Amino acid sequence: MRIFDAHLHIIDPRFPLTENNGYLPPEFTAAHYRERVAGLGIAGGTVVSGSFQGFDQGYLRAALAELGPGFVGVTQVPAEVTDAEIAELDAAGVRAVRFNVRRGGSAAPTELDRLARRVYEVAGWHAELYIDARDLAELAGTIAALPAVSIDHLGLHADGLPQLLRLVERGVKVKATGFGRVELDPAVAMRAVLEVDPSALLTGTDLPSTRARRPFADADLDLVAEVAGAHAAAVLWDNAAAFYRLG
């Protein structure tokens, strides 16, 4: 069964990297990624900009060119990004804007409504949030009203799951990723999302698992497939292919 890796990072030292809270990640190039996932059935995926990459687009353009067809990007852009810059990034394969509420390095949450709506209007991009679900209440109204949104890493914490599920009811997607960094039982959280909306769950590796307590393990994908059951094809490929508008 083919897999769309909806969340991966490429760390290429040829391009700018900025310490975030004293952390600078080790190198993990497109070649490293290809080697790590060989044999897993991954046929496409999403390169996601991290806090340590700020607004640099050079690494992302290079990574997408190297990874080739089936791979798209999620980037961080400043609030003052121009429509022309958004269109150029879209042509390079970018499909979403990221708001890193947990780590910073992106546009501020106060820009969420305006910027998310503008990138959607200009290029059809959705918004992706790296946020602890316990902090969703403050932004829930804004998130629910946006055209398209996803939440990273199952919302990170079990205590935020009820709030996360309320947003799933409103059409928000959820990434089953980063099992080595969450404070919840991934199987319980995935089942809960599937019960609300089977089309809402996406999956990915979170490679190279920067700052996680443990890195991605191949068995994480096995767990997703097991929990998804009859929905496995959708969760492993179809949901993400539709959300990222693969041709």
Side-chain angles (χ1 to χ4, degrees):
M1 192 173 293
R2 63 179 179 168
I3 296 169
F4 186 94
D5 183 354
H7 198 99
L8 66 108
H9 300 286
I10 298 298
I11 298 131
D12 190 332
R14 294 178 300 167
F15 300 93
L17 292 169
T18 303
E19 283 190 7
N20 178 271
N21 295 318
Y23 176 81
L24 198 63
E27 180 180 12
F28 189 74
T29 65
H32 292 140
Y33 173 75
R34 288 285 198 194
E35 181 180 3
R36 173 62 184 84
V37 301
L40 293 183
I42 290 173
T46 305
V47 181
V48 178
S49 290
S51 60
F52 38 79
Q53 287 159 324
F55 300 133
D56 174 58
Q57 308 300 335
Y59 98 90
L60 185 54
R61 290 175 181 271
L64 293 178
E66 187 169 347
L67 290 169
F71 286 82
V72 297
V74 175
T75 195
Q76 297 166 162
V77 293
E80 63 272 17
V81 64
T82 67
D83 290 357
E85 288 168 332
I86 295 167
E88 288 173 3
L89 288 168
D90 185 71
V94 176
R95 294 293 178 264
V97 61
R98 192 185 201 205
F99 290 84
N100 196 326
V101 181
R102 183 170 174 82
R103 301 283 189 194
S106 67
T110 53
E111 301 287 351
L112 174 60
D113 185 70
R114 186 181 68 83
L115 184 54
R117 290 183 183 279
R118 189 155 71 84
V119 298
Y120 183 83
E121 291 168 1
V122 171
W125 292 4
H126 63 267
E128 302 203 354
L129 275 70
Y130 182 22
I131 186 171
D132 188 316
R134 293 173 295 179
D135 299 326
L136 280 170
E138 185 176 341
L139 294 171
T142 298
I143 293 170
L146 290 174
V149 180
S150 69
I151 305 293
D152 294 345
H153 310 319
L154 295 167
L156 293 173
H157 202 286
D159 291 349
L161 186 58
Q163 180 64 67
L164 182 69
L165 295 176
R166 284 192 286 272
L167 288 173
V168 173
E169 291 173 352
R170 302 290 296 275
V172 170
K173 310 298 184 185
V174 177
K175 292 187 181 183
T177 54
F179 294 176
R181 67 174 75 249
V182 299
E183 300 288 344
L184 50 75
D185 183 330
V188 170
M190 286 189 288
R191 289 190 185 99
V193 172
L194 289 167
E195 287 175 4
V196 175
D197 181 2
S199 73
L201 197 63
L202 319 176
T203 194
T205 64
D206 188 36
L207 283 168
S209 310
T210 57
R211 286 189 274 206
R213 293 186 305 278
R214 72 157 176 86
F216 161 79
D218 296 359
D220 294 344
L221 294 178
D222 296 333
L223 178 62
V224 173
E226 178 185 349
V227 170
H231 302 295
V235 172
L236 294 175
W237 182 273
D238 297 342
N239 294 347
F243 195 50
Y244 289 102
R245 298 179 289 119
L246 295 189

Short mmCIF file of all heavy atoms in Angstrom, two decimals, residues 3 5 26 29 96 112 121 139 149 154 174 176 186 194 201 211-212 216 219 231:
data_model
loop_
_atom_site.label_atom_id
_atom_site.label_comp_id
_atom_site.label_asym_id
_atom_site.label_seq_id
_atom_site.Cartn_x
_atom_site.Cartn_y
_atom_site.Cartn_z
N ILE A 3 2.20 5.08 0.44
CA ILE A 3 2.09 6.00 1.57
C ILE A 3 2.48 7.40 1.13
O ILE A 3 3.48 7.59 0.41
CB ILE A 3 3.00 5.54 2.72
CG1 ILE A 3 2.53 4.18 3.26
CG2 ILE A 3 3.04 6.58 3.84
CD1 ILE A 3 3.51 3.53 4.21
N ASP A 5 3.80 10.66 2.83
CA ASP A 5 4.41 11.13 4.07
C ASP A 5 4.06 12.60 4.25
O ASP A 5 4.73 13.49 3.71
CB ASP A 5 5.92 10.93 4.00
CG ASP A 5 6.63 11.33 5.28
OD1 ASP A 5 5.96 11.88 6.18
OD2 ASP A 5 7.85 11.10 5.37
N PRO A 26 20.73 18.58 13.37
CA PRO A 26 21.78 17.97 12.54
C PRO A 26 21.33 17.89 11.08
O PRO A 26 20.15 18.00 10.77
CB PRO A 26 21.94 16.57 13.15
CG PRO A 26 20.62 16.27 13.77
CD PRO A 26 20.10 17.59 14.27
N THR A 29 19.52 15.63 4.71
CA THR A 29 19.27 16.08 3.35
C THR A 29 18.21 15.21 2.66
O THR A 29 17.77 14.19 3.20
CB THR A 29 20.55 16.03 2.53
OG1 THR A 29 20.96 14.65 2.40
CG2 THR A 29 21.67 16.84 3.18
N ALA A 96 0.98 25.07 1.29
CA ALA A 96 0.40 25.51 2.55
C ALA A 96 1.35 26.44 3.27
O ALA A 96 2.56 26.45 3.02
CB ALA A 96 0.07 24.31 3.44
N LEU A 112 -2.88 34.91 11.82
CA LEU A 112 -3.45 33.68 11.27
C LEU A 112 -4.63 33.94 10.35
O LEU A 112 -4.65 33.48 9.20
CB LEU A 112 -3.87 32.74 12.41
CG LEU A 112 -4.61 31.46 12.00
CD1 LEU A 112 -3.77 30.61 11.07
CD2 LEU A 112 -5.01 30.66 13.25
N GLU A 121 -6.76 32.55 -0.99
CA GLU A 121 -7.34 33.29 -2.11
C GLU A 121 -6.37 33.38 -3.29
O GLU A 121 -6.77 33.27 -4.45
CB GLU A 121 -7.75 34.69 -1.66
CG GLU A 121 -8.94 34.71 -0.71
CD GLU A 121 -9.14 36.05 -0.05
OE1 GLU A 121 -8.35 37.00 -0.34
OE2 GLU A 121 -10.06 36.17 0.78
N LEU A 139 -7.72 30.07 19.81
CA LEU A 139 -7.76 30.27 18.36
C LEU A 139 -8.88 29.48 17.69
O LEU A 139 -9.02 29.54 16.46
CB LEU A 139 -6.42 29.84 17.75
CG LEU A 139 -5.19 30.68 18.11
CD1 LEU A 139 -3.93 30.00 17.60
CD2 LEU A 139 -5.31 32.07 17.52
N VAL A 149 -7.56 23.88 7.11
CA VAL A 149 -6.55 23.89 8.17
C VAL A 149 -6.19 22.46 8.55
O VAL A 149 -7.03 21.55 8.51
CB VAL A 149 -7.08 24.60 9.44
CG1 VAL A 149 -6.02 24.61 10.54
CG2 VAL A 149 -7.53 26.03 9.13
N LEU A 154 -1.17 15.13 16.01
CA LEU A 154 -2.33 14.75 16.82
C LEU A 154 -2.62 15.74 17.94
O LEU A 154 -3.27 15.41 18.93
CB LEU A 154 -2.13 13.34 17.42
CG LEU A 154 -2.05 12.20 16.39
CD1 LEU A 154 -1.55 10.91 17.05
CD2 LEU A 154 -3.43 11.95 15.74
N VAL A 174 -6.05 16.42 10.66
CA VAL A 174 -5.12 16.12 11.75
C VAL A 174 -4.04 15.18 11.22
O VAL A 174 -4.34 14.18 10.56
CB VAL A 174 -5.84 15.47 12.94
CG1 VAL A 174 -4.84 15.09 14.03
CG2 VAL A 174 -6.91 16.40 13.49
N ALA A 176 -1.36 12.37 11.85
CA ALA A 176 -0.91 11.30 12.74
C ALA A 176 0.60 11.16 12.55
O ALA A 176 1.09 10.32 11.79
CB ALA A 176 -1.62 10.00 12.42
N PRO A 186 -1.17 7.42 20.74
CA PRO A 186 -1.52 7.69 19.34
C PRO A 186 -2.70 6.87 18.84
O PRO A 186 -3.53 7.39 18.07
CB PRO A 186 -0.24 7.33 18.59
CG PRO A 186 0.85 7.52 19.58
CD PRO A 186 0.25 7.08 20.89
N LEU A 194 -10.88 9.31 13.65
CA LEU A 194 -11.55 8.49 12.63
C LEU A 194 -13.05 8.37 12.91
O LEU A 194 -13.86 8.33 11.97
CB LEU A 194 -10.92 7.11 12.55
CG LEU A 194 -9.52 7.06 11.93
CD1 LEU A 194 -8.88 5.70 12.19
CD2 LEU A 194 -9.59 7.33 10.44
N LEU A 201 -7.90 12.32 8.75
CA LEU A 201 -6.62 11.84 9.28
C LEU A 201 -5.60 11.65 8.17
O LEU A 201 -5.85 10.96 7.18
CB LEU A 201 -6.83 10.53 10.03
CG LEU A 201 -5.70 10.10 10.97
CD1 LEU A 201 -5.51 11.11 12.10
CD2 LEU A 201 -5.99 8.72 11.56
N ARG A 211 14.25 17.02 18.01
CA ARG A 211 13.88 17.29 19.41
C ARG A 211 12.87 16.31 20.00
O ARG A 211 12.44 16.47 21.13
CB ARG A 211 13.37 18.73 19.58
CG ARG A 211 14.46 19.75 19.52
CD ARG A 211 14.00 21.14 19.90
NE ARG A 211 13.44 21.86 18.77
CZ ARG A 211 13.42 23.17 18.65
NH1 ARG A 211 13.91 23.93 19.61
NH2 ARG A 211 12.91 23.77 17.60
N ALA A 212 12.48 15.29 19.27
CA ALA A 212 11.55 14.30 19.81
C ALA A 212 12.26 13.39 20.82
O ALA A 212 13.47 13.17 20.74
CB ALA A 212 10.96 13.45 18.69
N PHE A 216 11.24 8.68 14.68
CA PHE A 216 10.28 7.86 13.96
C PHE A 216 10.79 6.43 13.84
O PHE A 216 11.97 6.18 13.62
CB PHE A 216 10.07 8.44 12.55
CG PHE A 216 9.46 7.47 11.58
CD1 PHE A 216 8.10 7.22 11.61
CD2 PHE A 216 10.25 6.82 10.64
CE1 PHE A 216 7.53 6.31 10.72
CE2 PHE A 216 9.69 5.92 9.74
CZ PHE A 216 8.33 5.67 9.78
N ALA A 219 7.61 0.97 12.66
CA ALA A 219 6.40 0.42 13.29
C ALA A 219 5.32 1.47 13.49
O ALA A 219 4.14 1.11 13.65
CB ALA A 219 6.76 -0.22 14.63
N HIS A 231 -10.11 1.99 6.60
CA HIS A 231 -9.79 3.33 6.10
C HIS A 231 -8.30 3.49 5.79
O HIS A 231 -7.85 4.61 5.53
CB HIS A 231 -10.20 4.39 7.12
CG HIS A 231 -11.65 4.37 7.48
ND1 HIS A 231 -12.65 4.67 6.58
CD2 HIS A 231 -12.27 4.07 8.66
CE1 HIS A 231 -13.82 4.57 7.18
NE2 HIS A 231 -13.61 4.20 8.43
#
